[in-house]
Amino acid sequence: MSGEALVGLGLCTPIGTSAQMTLASRRAGIVRFAETEVLDDFGEPVRASRLSLLEPSLSRTERMMALGREALAGVLNVLAQARLKRVPLYLGLPEAGLGAEVEREALVAALLAEAGGMLTLVGVHAGGRAGFFEALAEARADLRSGRAGPLALVGAVDSLCDGASLRALAAARLHLGPQNRDGRISGEAAGFVVVSRPGATETRGLEVLGVVAGVALGVEPRPFAQREPSLAEGLTDVFRTLRRDAVAGARRVDAVLACQPGEEFWPTEFSRAYLRNAELMPEPLRVGTAGECLGDAGAGAGPVMLGAALYRRGRQAPGALRTLVYGGADGGKIGACVVESVSGK
């Protein structure tokens, strides 16, 4: 395998407070969709996928802090094992728009404090569901140039389950309910992955979980937020970039994992981009979405779906499994990567 090695994974979601719990729950089909105290204009409870350990009264920023600290705890042992003075942090966050405002400085300060001085913030990408991939692309470039040293930490965190965000979702008529069958269920998630420059894992005794074969970014000119029919131009270009890459496009992927919620817009967009890049796609086609298990986890869906790609069980195959993971924000930003998991994971 050729590319940056993935050597650590920490997750926190409504279906598990660790990577192991989250991914096992996802494989088992466990969900945490439940009615909330927020009512829509028709008096119906708005549903959400919430971490039940957190009080419903917490703000969006407070929920993101709690999720982020728990996910970060899952990779601190790997960072300590690397024996580095500081590791650069690249963070994906919500896009501007729908949902309560995020107190970014307070959130970042809470994450850095949790790491006990091991991290230095390098980049913040407010790209929503594309934010994690933007952070990954920057970290990958810095690892290759030497600006990041041997390791980088890439993460993302989001929550749309606080009262203010749920009321905003309901006011925009985006929530799934009796009056809107083509809607979404709000979710929340946080995750971090430790990324290593090729060749740096052996000297530090780190276990390789998988390899990033390629990353691509783009923008959809007719995004979901504009409510215009999408021709999937942005997603098509992102898939085409990966398909034409010498490493990422060397062979078909075995599956596709999407960070998207449940509206019909997203599978329609994917089907158009898929047909234009069929040489990259799996045969038969296999697609899993974050919305099936997490609802709309926003920026937090990226690391969760990458984790799912690293630990794809239940299918025997010779050699490493290759997965295309992608996310598209309501505002049009798009990110994707091709990941190879280590055989046997």
Side-chain angles (χ1 to χ4, degrees):
M1 293 184 286
S2 176
E4 287 68 37
L6 301 169
V7 297
L9 174 68
L11 302 175
C12 183
T13 71
I15 59 175
T17 55
S18 68
Q20 183 178 12
M21 291 171 61
T22 291
L23 299 177
S25 295
R26 180 183 177 274
R27 289 192 295 269
I30 295 173
V31 298
R32 291 288 185 261
F33 302 153
E35 294 179 347
T36 71
E37 70 284 356
V38 177
L39 304 180
D40 64 15
D41 292 342
F42 299 93
E44 295 288 338
V46 178
R47 286 182 287 173
S49 176
R50 278 174 166 171
L51 178 59
S52 59
L53 297 175
L54 301 180
E55 292 293 332
S57 60
L58 293 180
S59 70
R60 185 180 192 182
T61 301
E62 289 169 336
R63 300 188 74 87
M64 290 171 64
M65 285 179 180
L67 291 160
R69 283 193 292 254
E70 193 68 28
L72 186 57
V75 296
L76 292 182
N77 61 327
V78 175
L79 298 180
Q81 183 181 345
R83 301 181 302 279
L84 296 171
K85 290 184 178 180
R86 290 292 182 95
V87 174
L89 170 63
Y90 303 80
L91 188 63
L93 292 178
E95 62 182 327
L98 185 62
E101 185 177 352
V102 177
E103 300 172 35
R104 183 184 298 184
E105 291 185 5
L107 172 64
V108 170
L111 295 177
L112 295 180
E114 179 69 21
M118 284 193 287
L119 297 176
T120 299
L121 181 67
V122 173
V124 175
H125 299 270
R129 298 182 208 99
F132 174 75
F133 301 95
E134 293 177 336
L136 181 61
E138 184 182 13
R140 193 167 180 249
D142 285 355
L143 286 168
R144 293 193 167 193
S145 68
R147 290 192 298 270
L151 294 182
L153 184 64
V154 182
V157 57
D158 202 348
S159 175
L160 287 161
C161 294
D162 62 285
S165 295
L166 290 173
R167 286 190 290 273
L169 187 81
R173 302 288 177 89
L174 290 175
H175 67 297
L176 178 66
Q179 309 299 326
N180 183 19
R181 300 294 182 181
D182 186 27
R184 62 182 63 169
I185 294 176
S186 291
E188 56 189 5
F192 293 89
V193 293
V194 184
V195 187
S196 169
R197 194 170 61 223
T201 57
E202 295 180 2
T203 59
R204 300 181 185 277
L206 300 174
E207 179 188 6
V208 178
L209 307 176
V211 171
V212 180
V215 181
L217 304 175
V219 177
E220 172 54 49
R222 297 181 180 179
F224 178 90
Q226 292 185 9
R227 302 301 181 94
E228 295 182 14
S230 170
L231 301 178
E233 298 169 76
L235 192 58
T236 296
D237 289 343
V238 167
F239 289 169
R240 182 183 296 121
T241 298
L242 292 173
R243 175 169 58 86
R244 292 178 175 175
D245 183 88
V247 178
R251 63 177 177 85
R252 290 180 184 271
V253 298
D254 301 294
V256 179
L257 295 177
C259 300
Q260 307 313 105
E263 295 101 336
E264 185 61 30
F265 177 95
W266 307 111
T268 300
E269 179 187 57
F270 171 78
S271 65
R272 290 171 175 161
Y274 155 76
L275 290 172
R276 298 165 187 157
N277 292 280
E279 297 93 336
L280 177 67
M281 301 299 171
E283 291 293 347
L285 181 63
R286 289 181 291 274
V287 182
T289 66
E292 296 169 339
C293 60
L294 297 175
D296 182 13
V304 176
M305 300 313 280
L306 183 140
L310 294 178
Y311 289 90
R312 284 177 50 212
R313 299 180 188 274
R315 177 175 177 269
Q316 298 297 321
L321 295 177
R322 178 172 282 210
T323 307
L324 169 63
V325 187
Y326 82 92
D330 286 3
K333 289 185 176 181
I334 300 170
C337 65
V338 172
V339 177
E340 285 192 6
S341 60
V342 173
S343 180
K345 288 292 179 189

